[in-house]
Amino acid sequence: MAKLVQNALQKRLKTSYTIRNERRNMITGSVVALACILILNTGVTSAMITINKLNDKSNFKTCLMMQTSTEIESPSKINVNKQANSANSVKMRELDKWREFDELRGSLDIDKLKKFFARRPYLISNRLIQVATTIKTALDEWENSEPDPSFDEDGNFNFDYVPEDDFDDVNSQLIGRGAKLCGRMSSLGPVSVKICQTLSQRADLVGDEVCNALKTLQTANVPFDDKLAIAIIKESLNWDGAIAPQHGGNDTTEKPLFAWMSDKPIAVASLGQVYKATTHEGLDVAVKVQRPDGLTLLATDTICFKLVLAALEQVRKIQKQKGFSEGLLSDILERVARDMTGELDYYREASNGRKFEQSLSFLGFVKTPIVVEKYSTDRVLVTEWVKGNHLSLLSKEDGLAMTRMAVEACTASMVLTGFVHADPHEGNLMLDKDGNVVFLDFGLMSDVSEDVMEGFASGIQGCLAEDWLTVTRAFKATGFICDPILWKPDSEEDDFVPVGWDPTTGEDLGIEKLSTELGKAMNEVEGGTSRFGALATVLNQYLSPRWKMQTPPYVLLLIRTFLTLEGIAARVDPDFNIYEMAMPWAVRRSLSPGTLKGIEALRSTVLTEDDKIQWSRLVELLEETTVNEDDGVVSDSLSDGIPENEVTSNKGSTETAKKAAMKDAVLTLLGSPEGAVLRKLLADLDSVDLVKRLLSKEGKRLRRQAVASLVSDGGNNGESKIEGDIVRPVSKESVKLRKKQIKVTRKVLVALMSQHLRRQWKAGPIAVARFVLLLLRVGLGVVRKEIFNRFRSVTNILKPRSVSVPL
């Protein structure tokens, strides 16, 4: 009986996106909400500022082309090197010009920056002039150059174009157009590069031609002088000899640092560049070296943005109705400046990589690079070389598989672990030779609190359910909209004012009004319930002129993560629904809330106040699920121009992956530490009332589903199901953990069954009789189903097969 109840509960939450009824919103803050916020109240300028600061963070990207494992060194060992490094006696004259900025290393504190640049105001004016002139030059060069004939006027791919000659004058000019754009943007430093890297994943915003050109900046920025890189390695490692036989002069008396190192970087990021090297033990490694001017550029850009934001705050005071919440931009800047500090500390990055892989070890397919401690410092990071490929070198099938795993990993980190990779662009993702997804570059990470994680889970389900009332309440509870909700009732020239309150319930009337407008707009925008960026369009273009909205600083990096993943997904499968792929782990989070509000909401969703099952909701769920399962139509709007068989193949493989993910997410929950809330809920369930309802006419469909579930599990234990249905790589550690959790789950189910049997016995002979009758009905159903399945299997074996005869 407990197994039956568990299956019913899992089914309800697994398909919660089909429910449109209003529920108490336990965990608020929706993933859906995130995309809009960067642009909402800050205007275009402040949005660019926010993204700039954001993007500033994680630059190195492919720099980390390295192999992953659990052997990443402990922070304690690394700190020993750090202490030794602080007493370096080797000082390279080539780096003297940047030493004055060393006093800022460790923290880009605004007050510290103000004091530093008060003595150097010329640095600020020079930087502002440089940015303005460079952007103008880049725009002029782009507009005055011949467009690529393989793209149309809007910058989208022209599939009818057939190139005549790869080496004609036109193509050479085109190469110059894209290269000039990348060169100009790269010259502005890390902030500019991070913006361009994000835009390179968003062809829907800038067009295919610009997107295609900017992709170069993921791994091939403008490098700094190799001599400077050698100087940084020597000074950081306190090494006075040769770096490699071809690097370091004619001194052959001492063994060089490496047996070999490439003459030029093999990848260049915004804050560093990577060389390939070989140790004296024969190990191939990637050597990432931090830019000598990295701290200089980040510090200067931070104080420049501080000045611009101060000006925008004055605009807000003058034009309140067109501004943004007081202090919001300053909070955003301080948050971004604090986060950027981690980009400049390779010790922290090494620790982040180990923590990220360990936190997602239960997935079994997420890997991070192995750090080679011996050669690593705060400005030099050496890792084993990754044997794998980036998305551009993968087949369609492998690219889709990698994208699905990346979405799962990032979603699981957002809603379960709370430690998120904030820069998962193509350059930072690889598929290794064993089929695992490898994440690179951990300078830019984000921590997520319990209530926000629950909000993401709720938001994913709410978006799929098109439950805009719940989404609106989520916006309010997490600070995406004001409390009380403010709007302009008549025209854009009016001040924002409260909508009002219900005189009976006291509820904010703005919730219903805003949810109505939100739902209407989302239904008009293409991809409203499948594309993360669609919400940004709706809130920025449709709603923000009329409704007062704001951007919680904590959410900036999380926005970037999902927007980047969505851009990658669109490349491999136009019909890819990022919310559906994220759904399994959102369901697991909803079943295992960690806050009191979340626990109360889960109980109210499943049980009444007297612990009876919410029967009407369960029946409604079954009815809508039946309709939903029969609806297998593939959207035509997103897949125009793609062969039908390819669309069908993508959909089939994605459905298989989703089922596997759902099984991984829910199957072992009862036996895991996070399943305590669910175990308590099942223990409190009034099983006497449930048995009575299951025997009713309305319970017939649920009994049939229980039979189908039991038959599908028949003959297979948990271990064989895990090992037999693998559709993606699973590590030995992950399989071992799942087996352990399944073993605990069985013990929990036995204990729950014993408890509910005693409860039936105490309720009297009528309750016992009902329980026995239910067992008989379900048992006979299982027997009939098994007999039918075996008969069909024998019939299929005996059926004559057609044999093709060659003509």
Side-chain angles (χ1 to χ4, degrees), residues 320-331:
K320 293 184 178 181
Q321 72 275 17
K322 294 184 178 180
F324 27 81
S325 299
E326 183 175 0
L328 177 63
L329 297 183
S330 296
D331 292 342

Side-chain angles (χ1 to χ4, degrees), residues 567-623:
I568 296 174
R571 287 195 59 204
V572 296
D573 182 7
D575 287 305
F576 189 91
N577 189 325
I578 195 168
Y579 298 125
E580 288 185 358
M581 200 65 231
M583 185 67 175
W585 302 105
V587 170
R588 183 180 177 106
R589 181 69 204 194
S590 296
L591 286 167
S592 55
T595 64
L596 290 177
K597 186 180 295 185
I599 294 172
E600 291 174 0
L602 176 60
R603 290 188 66 90
S604 66
T605 300
V606 180
L607 301 178
T608 62
E609 293 184 0
D610 54 355
D611 292 332
K612 290 181 170 57
I613 194 73
Q614 293 276 13
W615 185 255
S616 60
R617 295 182 182 179
L618 189 58
V619 172
E620 181 183 355
L621 169 65
L622 293 175
E623 292 175 351

Side-chain angles (χ1 to χ4, degrees), residues 411-430:
T411 303
S413 65
M414 280 186 179
V415 303
L416 295 180
T417 70
F419 191 59
V420 184
H421 193 297
D423 196 21
H425 62 71
E426 289 181 40
N428 285 340
L429 293 173
M430 296 182 72

Side-chain angles (χ1 to χ4, degrees), residues 289-473:
V289 185
Q290 191 176 115
R291 292 186 67 94
D293 59 349
L295 177 60
T296 302
L297 291 172
L298 291 180
T300 305
D301 283 346
T302 298
I303 198 64
C304 286
F305 285 129
K306 181 66 176 177
L307 293 175
V308 175
L309 290 181
L312 290 175
E313 288 283 2
Q314 295 303 314
V315 172
R316 182 196 62 78
K317 294 178 181 179
I318 297 173
Q319 297 179 316
K320 293 184 178 181
Q321 72 275 17
K322 294 184 178 180
F324 27 81
S325 299
E326 183 175 0
L328 177 63
L329 297 183
S330 296
D331 292 342
I332 291 174
L333 178 62
E334 291 177 6
R335 174 61 184 260
V336 172
R338 183 172 70 251
D339 290 339
M340 285 193 300
T341 305
E343 292 260 34
L344 300 171
D345 187 352
Y346 286 174
Y347 291 119
R348 179 178 177 181
E349 180 173 336
S351 177
N352 285 344
R354 180 188 66 255
K355 179 180 178 181
F356 184 75
E357 180 175 348
Q358 290 177 347
S359 69
L360 295 175
S361 60
F362 61 89
L363 292 177
F365 54 74
V366 175
K367 301 297 180 183
T368 61
I370 300 174
V371 176
V372 183
E373 174 189 338
K374 178 180 178 181
Y375 302 101
S376 297
T377 71
D378 63 334
R379 301 176 69 188
V380 177
L381 183 61
V382 179
T383 58
E384 293 188 18
W385 192 263
V386 170
K387 298 177 181 178
N389 290 307
H390 293 284
L391 181 64
S392 59
L393 298 178
L394 296 176
S395 66
K396 193 81 171 181
E397 294 74 16
D398 287 343
L400 186 57
M402 185 188 77
T403 302
R404 286 193 298 250
M405 289 188 290
V407 170
E408 276 195 66
C410 288
T411 303
S413 65
M414 280 186 179
V415 303
L416 295 180
T417 70
F419 191 59
V420 184
H421 193 297
D423 196 21
H425 62 71
E426 289 181 40
N428 285 340
L429 293 173
M430 296 182 72
L431 192 71
D432 70 12
K433 59 183 180 61
D434 297 320
N436 301 294
V437 60
V438 182
F439 284 81
L440 309 175
D441 191 352
F442 302 93
L444 189 60
M445 306 296 291
S446 182
D447 293 308
V448 187
S449 63
E450 286 282 340
D451 57 335
V452 175
M453 283 192 283
E454 292 180 359
F456 287 141
S458 176
I460 291 171
Q461 297 174 79
C463 182
L464 284 170
E466 300 182 31
D467 186 356
W468 310 120
L469 191 63
T470 296
V471 171
T472 304
R473 285 179 173 150

